[in-house]
Amino acid sequence: MALPKFLMWPFFLIWLFLVHCQLHHVEGEPEPEAVPGLGINWGLLATHPINPPIVVNMLKDNGIKKAKIFDTDPWVVSAFTGSNIELMVGIPNDQLRKLARDANYAQDWVKNNVTKFVYNGGVNIRYVSVGNEPFLRSYNGSFVNITFPAMQNVQNAIDKAGYGDKIKVTTALNADVYESKTDKPSDGEFRPDVYHAIKEIVQFLDEHNSPFLVNIYPFLSLYQNEGFPIDFAFFDGVANPVTDNDKEYHNVFDANFDTLVWSLRKIDHSNVNIVIGEIGWPTDGNKHGTPSNAKRFYQGFLKKMASKTGTPLRPGPMDAYLFSLLDEDDKSIAPGNFERHWGIFRYDGKPKFEVDFSGNGENKMPVEAKGVVYQERKWCVIKPFDKSLNMSSLPGALSYACALGDCTSLGAGSSCANQSEDGSASYAFNSYFQISDQSVEACDFKGLAKIVTDDPTNGTCFFPIQIESSGNMLTTLLIKVGLFAGFSLIFLTFM
């Protein structure tokens, strides 16, 4: 039964006070500085996302001054109010058709999702990414003819609202929009099936001084090709660099980036600014997805950014958005189990490995999220073997738990791959149990499971406790600050 609104307000005010106390910066304490041009992607495909004000403060605590999100959820966008963090918001692909066809709808969208947040002391929105990798081959051309018209209508709406000089439109493109048949950058050119659409978009970007936003993933080069030289995916040198004309390439990122530079040259737009929309390394779900490899990758890339060396064809500073801030346990795993493990931070805002956002290469942990509230300290595990248990139902129970939970850490080469059969079952059961808010009914599995209070984490196999998130935060606060209830009720009754 829902609480009357007059009873909810005291707890809401108490929660705001507690969060403020936990998140408040110490006066006079110097804020850290990330390498210039550094941003980070914040995805929300999690069953229990961290509350946005906590995330924004975590960005500030780590000196990160740019962020990129994939939609315009008002709770998320408004959390950036007064932070001065430069924000890029996104428009999902399923909205492109309507935006392309209806200029009036684009004006309404801009009014409701962008300009209402932009005022003195408001949200520092600088870019709108119209679509997310809309030209992927897997989409079979669905968005090729509508992305550019949607971009035009959104930019026109921003211009009409008077923000055209400040807020620019772009679109996030995957690196597969260009290719080189010889793998040498100088042979780079845009894919034939998207060539004309890309040419229109690039001309638009050039005219509006907007960046070409590209997602480059050296990890995928390694994942997709077993013969790929491992060291070429990182930034600490290779024995045999790739030579192209008079340029040497010591890592796949530089080679990929300069393939894009050549592709832009060939359509007579060689001066378009290029911004890395996504770049990162996962920590689980694949044998190459480990915290140690992620640390090696990020430390190398951030040092590269700090040195301002750029690439052989584009020396100098660059802008890049790391992918990503947090793990997302509700993300599609169609590309691979690693998709849910891109976060530099775990689902609860705790860092996984040392990374120095300043680019100085120091071995230090990033600042974790402050103010995160966990659910009860309990887990769901398989019961000890008992002849009375119907173990024949175990395969079905595991399938059910993994279908509705997250078992991506159990795959070959992953952090929980070496668990025993019981350990794997416990991990699967606990995943479903935590995602289900530790419901007693979610830890039954036909009598095979039980709830325990001793942490079953084993070696690298981490058993999480879920956090409280948005909608269920009130219930937790009612328990945690229940002593205030009587006083609040008395106060409201007699005031």
Side-chain angles (χ1 to χ4, degrees):
M1 176 173 140
L3 283 173
K5 288 185 179 179
F6 78 91
L7 284 180
M8 293 174 65
W9 273 106
F11 296 109
F12 179 69
L13 293 174
I14 292 166
W15 173 69
L16 285 179
F17 173 75
L18 294 174
V19 170
H20 173 76
C21 291
Q22 288 177 296
L23 300 183
H24 185 65
H25 288 276
V26 178
E27 189 173 350
E29 183 179 302
E31 289 191 358
E33 289 286 338
V35 62
L38 180 67
I40 198 161
N41 287 271
W42 172 20
L44 290 169
L45 296 177
T47 58
H48 292 69
I50 302 178
N51 293 322
I54 294 176
V55 175
V56 171
N57 277 280
M58 182 171 69
L59 295 176
K60 292 168 67 176
D61 284 343
N62 285 285
I64 296 173
K65 295 179 170 56
K66 295 184 180 184
K68 177 168 163 276
I69 59 177
F70 295 88
D71 57 21
T72 52
D73 183 313
W75 192 32
V76 174
V77 176
S78 61
F80 287 90
T81 301
S83 70
N84 205 35
I85 292 174
E86 183 182 293
L87 186 63
M88 181 186 299
V89 299
I91 299 179
N93 294 337
D94 60 8
Q95 297 186 39
L96 295 181
R97 192 169 302 279
K98 195 165 186 179
L99 286 167
R101 291 178 174 177
D102 191 340
N104 290 327
Y105 176 76
Q107 289 181 25
D108 289 340
W109 187 93
V110 167
K111 178 181 178 181
N112 294 324
N113 296 281
V114 178
T115 57
K116 79 172 185 180
F117 297 106
V118 183
Y119 52 86
N120 188 26
V123 183
N124 184 20
I125 298 176
R126 297 297 304 277
Y127 299 103
V128 178
S129 177
V130 181
N132 185 41
E133 299 185 334
F135 295 171
L136 280 177
R137 296 179 191 272
S138 58
Y139 291 143
N140 296 317
S142 300
F143 306 111
V144 169
N145 295 322
I146 58 177
T147 299
F148 177 54
M151 292 173 66
Q152 287 180 303
N153 283 342
V154 172
Q155 186 68 67
N156 288 339
I158 291 171
D159 294 346
K160 189 172 182 179
Y163 293 97
D165 291 337
K166 178 185 178 183
I167 303 174
K168 301 296 184 179
V169 163
T170 184
T171 183
L173 296 169
N174 187 278
D176 77 344
V177 298
Y178 51 90
E179 57 193 3
S180 169
K181 293 179 181 179
T182 64
D183 289 332
K184 291 192 174 184
S186 59
D187 288 322
E189 55 189 356
F190 290 109
R191 274 177 20 215
D193 60 313
V194 299
Y195 180 85
H196 294 292
I198 289 287
K199 194 170 182 179
E200 285 184 317
I201 288 172
V202 171
Q203 183 172 339
F204 169 88
L205 298 175
D206 213 353
E207 290 172 353
H208 289 83
N209 196 27
S210 299
F212 189 107
L213 196 65
V214 61
N215 302 339
I216 298 177
Y217 282 104
F219 167 81
L220 294 180
S221 297
L222 189 58
Y223 171 73
Q224 294 166 352
N225 183 359
E226 279 294 324
F228 189 86
I230 293 178
D231 289 341
F232 201 57
F234 298 93
F235 298 93
D236 41 15
V238 291
N240 299 304
V242 172
T243 301
D244 183 21
N245 295 328
D246 61 340
K247 306 297 183 185
E248 279 194 357
Y249 291 93
H250 296 263
N251 61 78
V252 69
F253 171 82
D254 284 1
N256 191 306
F257 190 102
D258 279 1
T259 303
L260 171 58
V261 173
W262 272 107
S263 301
L264 290 169
R265 283 183 179 181
K266 291 175 183 178
I267 59 171
D268 299 321
H269 288 281
S270 58
N271 294 321
V272 170
N273 184 31
I274 300 173
V275 171
I276 307 303
E278 297 177 17
I279 183 169
W281 199 279
T283 59
D284 207 351
N286 176 261
K287 65 181 182 181
H288 297 299
T290 64
S292 59
N293 277 345
K295 175 184 175 180
R296 179 185 177 189
F297 180 81
Y298 280 115
Q299 294 289 54
F301 181 70
L302 291 169
K303 283 183 181 179
K304 179 181 179 66
M305 283 191 69
S307 70
K308 301 180 182 179
T309 55
T311 68
L313 292 182
R314 283 278 183 101
M318 64 173 60
D319 291 347
Y321 293 83
L322 306 182
F323 192 89
S324 69
L325 185 65
L326 299 159
D327 281 348
E328 299 173 81
D329 66 349
D330 208 24
K331 199 175 181 189
S332 169
I333 57 172
N337 286 343
F338 54 84
E339 282 293 341
R340 294 178 177 174
H341 303 279
W342 286 104
I344 294 172
F345 297 81
R346 294 187 331 194
Y347 70 100
D348 57 357
K350 289 188 179 296
K352 303 180 194 174
F353 51 87
E354 296 101 336
V355 60
D356 183 0
F357 292 124
S358 73
N360 292 326
E362 294 183 19
N363 286 320
K364 62 180 183 180
M365 283 289 190
V367 181
E368 68 180 57
K370 298 183 179 73
V372 174
V373 179
Y374 291 85
Q375 295 185 23
E376 290 185 62
R377 185 176 170 82
K378 57 185 181 181
W379 297 262
C380 178
V381 300
I382 193 169
K383 288 180 178 178
F385 178 75
D386 187 326
K387 290 182 179 179
S388 65
L389 297 178
N390 181 14
M391 298 303 287
S392 64
S393 60
L394 181 59
L398 285 174
S399 295
Y400 182 83
C402 289
L404 299 176
D406 176 24
C407 293
T408 54
S409 294
L410 291 172
S414 300
S415 61
C416 296
N418 295 324
Q419 296 296 296
S420 65
E421 183 179 16
D422 284 0
S424 295
S426 291
Y427 185 89
F429 291 168
N430 185 64
S431 173
Y432 176 70
F433 175 66
Q434 299 294 342
I435 285 175
S436 303
D437 289 325
Q438 299 184 345
S439 166
V440 174
E441 293 79 10
C443 187
D444 181 50
F445 298 100
K446 295 186 177 181
L448 296 176
K450 66 176 183 177
I451 296 173
V452 298
T453 55
D454 291 330
D455 189 349
T457 292
N458 181 16
T460 61
C461 188
F462 170 70
F463 281 62
I465 300 174
Q466 197 50 266
I467 65 173
E468 296 292 349
S469 176
S470 59
N472 56 22
M473 178 64 80
L474 180 61
T475 302
T476 299
L477 290 170
L478 291 178
I479 296 170
K480 291 184 177 293
V481 298
L483 292 175
F484 287 91
F487 296 106
S488 301
L489 181 58
I490 292 170
F491 176 76
L492 289 170
T493 303
F494 293 99
M495 65 181 291

